[in-house]
Amino acid sequence: KESDIHNLNPNMDGELSLASRPQDKHSIKVSSINPAASSKEEGNVFLTHSTFENETPGWFRPGMTGIAKINAGKKTLLWILTHRTMDFLRFKLWW
């Protein structure tokens, strides 16, 4: 999401699960983040480019879709529960 892009940096690691093989998890590393947002149905999104940390599976094809979860670091439980509310208030109150 556009509101979460500031938490991502190149070289972060994560996991990829493809729609065609959801039982398989693949380790990935973010190689770059496109600085311009793209408009999609779910809102503005930022495209990232990632590479497989292990060998690319032989069945993998360009254009396959799935979900990637990026490890964006550890945060306290308080931050996790309140950061969206604080961001909303800062935006509305210019604080």
Side-chain angles (χ1 to χ4, degrees):
K1 289 184 175 180
E2 185 176 19
S3 60
D4 297 328
I5 193 63
H6 66 277
N7 293 322
L8 294 182
N9 294 311
N11 295 323
M12 287 184 155
D13 61 337
E15 235 178 25
L16 172 69
S17 179
L18 297 168
S20 62
R21 296 180 91 155
Q23 70 277 11
D24 296 340
K25 307 281 190 256
H26 304 282
S27 296
I28 59 170
K29 185 170 285 244
V30 176
S31 55
S32 66
I33 302 169
N34 190 344
S38 300
S39 181
K40 301 283 184 184
E41 275 186 32
E42 58 272 6
N44 291 338
V45 295
F46 287 82
L47 299 177
T48 62
H49 298 274
S50 301
T51 56
F52 287 104
E53 287 191 339
N54 301 321
E55 188 173 319
T56 305
W59 49 263
F60 182 78
R61 300 289 180 262
M64 295 178 93
T65 60
I67 294 178
K69 293 184 179 183
I70 307 298
N71 299 324
K74 293 188 180 214
K75 303 289 184 185
T76 64
L77 182 60
L78 181 64
W79 184 89
I80 293 168
L81 295 174
T82 63
H83 80 279
R84 293 204 191 278
T85 303
M86 293 302 293
D87 289 346
F88 174 80
L89 291 173
R90 282 188 190 113
F91 180 71
K92 291 296 182 185
L93 302 174
W94 291 86
W95 149 44

